[in-house]
Amino acid sequence: MKYRSVFDIIGPVMIGPSSSHTAGAARIGRAARDLFGRTPEEIDIHFYGSFKSTFKGHGTDVAIVGGVLGYETFDDRIKTSLETAEKEGIKVLIHEEQAEPEHPNTARLRLKSGTEELELTGISIGGGKIEITELNGFPLHLTGEHPAVVLLHDDRYGAIASATAILAKEKINIGRMEVSRKAEGAKALMIIEVDQNLTDSVMEELQEADHISRAARISE
C-alpha cells in the first residue's frame, strides 16, 4: 500500500478512536447511503475479522450507522447514531461472522427500504481509507476518494457509449472506468470516476440514457 502524504497515514479529522475501525467504517456506511440514495428502513451489518472482534470497543457499529445516516467522519452525532436510528424507526441488525475474510477489516451491509435493497461489501485499509469490493453481487474497486457514478445497465453494445456521451457533452472528464458483468447478455455494472461532482441534471440524463436501468453517485 503506497501513501501519497503523511495525512494518509495519520488519517482524516474524525470521531475516534481508530482511523481504520471508526473513520473508515463511517466512510463505508456513507458510501452505502450515497449509492442507496436515501435513509433506509433497515440496516443489516455483518462484521468479519478484526471488525468482528473489536467493533464494540472501537465504535465500528456506531460509525457505520452514522455513515448510513449521512454523517461525516468528524460529525459528533456519530456517537449517538444507534440511538438516533432507533428514534427514527430504523431497524439495525448486527451479525458477527466466523468466516475468514480476505481483509481483516471487512463489513458487509444490506440496506432495505420497502422493496428496494442494496448489498455492499467494504474494507477499511487504514488511515480512514476504504475500498468497496462488491455491490449487489458485482465485484468492483471503488475507493470513494473521487466523485463517481455507478450505473446498472444491460450488457449490450451501446450502453457504455450512451453514458460516456452524456459526460462528454457536459465536459466532464473521466479519471477511471470499470465494467463488470455476471453473465454475457445479463445485467452489468459500470463504475466511472470523474473529476467533479455530478449535478442532479446530469444524473437525470444518465438515468434516462439507453440501456441504463439505474444510476447512483458518490460525491466528494
Side-chain angles (χ1 to χ4, degrees):
M1 173 74 188
K2 292 184 178 180
Y3 295 97
R4 292 178 295 180
S5 76
V6 67
F7 296 106
D8 291 346
I9 301 171
I10 296 173
V13 177
M14 64 175 196
I15 301 298
S18 167
S19 63
S20 59
H21 286 214
T22 313
R27 292 191 65 206
I28 292 172
R30 182 59 186 266
R33 179 204 170 88
D34 287 347
L35 294 171
F36 194 58
R38 61 190 180 281
T39 302
E41 296 171 356
E42 183 174 318
I43 307 169
D44 207 357
I45 306 170
H46 298 254
F47 285 126
Y48 298 82
S50 180
F51 269 2
K52 178 201 72 174
S53 302
T54 64
F55 76 90
K56 292 179 181 178
H58 285 179
T60 311
D61 51 350
V62 298
I64 284 186
V65 172
V68 174
L69 292 178
Y71 303 159
E72 300 289 348
T73 58
F74 52 80
D75 196 320
D76 205 51
R77 292 176 296 173
I78 283 178
K79 297 175 182 178
T80 56
S81 63
L82 291 175
E83 291 85 346
T84 301
E86 184 177 3
K87 289 177 183 176
E88 295 183 3
I90 301 169
K91 185 177 181 181
V92 178
L93 300 173
I94 296 176
H95 310 269
E96 300 178 40
E97 300 290 352
Q98 299 303 315
E100 288 297 324
E102 292 186 10
H103 191 282
N105 299 333
T106 298
R108 179 164 54 87
L109 279 64
R110 182 180 290 113
L111 307 186
K112 302 178 184 178
S113 191
T115 59
E116 293 292 317
E117 187 172 318
L118 175 144
E119 185 172 317
L120 172 153
T121 300
I123 61 175
S124 179
I125 58 179
K129 292 182 174 294
I130 66 165
E131 182 179 326
I132 305 304
T133 60
E134 187 174 302
L135 178 63
N136 288 344
F138 291 97
L140 72 156
H141 171 76
L142 183 62
T143 65
E145 293 182 19
H146 306 283
V149 61
V150 178
L151 303 172
L152 183 66
H153 62 94
D154 299 327
D155 180 35
R156 56 167 296 170
Y157 66 87
I160 294 173
S162 66
T164 56
I166 291 171
L167 298 179
K169 177 174 68 71
E170 299 294 335
K171 296 182 172 57
I172 297 171
N173 190 49
I174 295 174
R176 189 183 72 87
M177 188 173 182
E178 176 182 348
V179 180
S180 63
R181 64 184 182 182
K182 295 180 181 178
E184 183 178 350
K187 287 293 182 182
L189 194 73
M190 189 187 325
I191 311 293
I192 306 175
E193 290 185 347
V194 293
D195 292 343
Q196 64 200 71
N197 289 332
L198 300 180
T199 63
D200 291 342
S201 61
V202 171
M203 292 301 298
E204 289 171 5
E205 283 190 77
L206 289 168
Q207 182 67 65
E208 295 172 2
D210 291 341
H211 316 307
I212 305 295
S213 55
R214 183 168 181 178
R217 64 186 162 188
I218 290 181
S219 301
E220 280 187 319

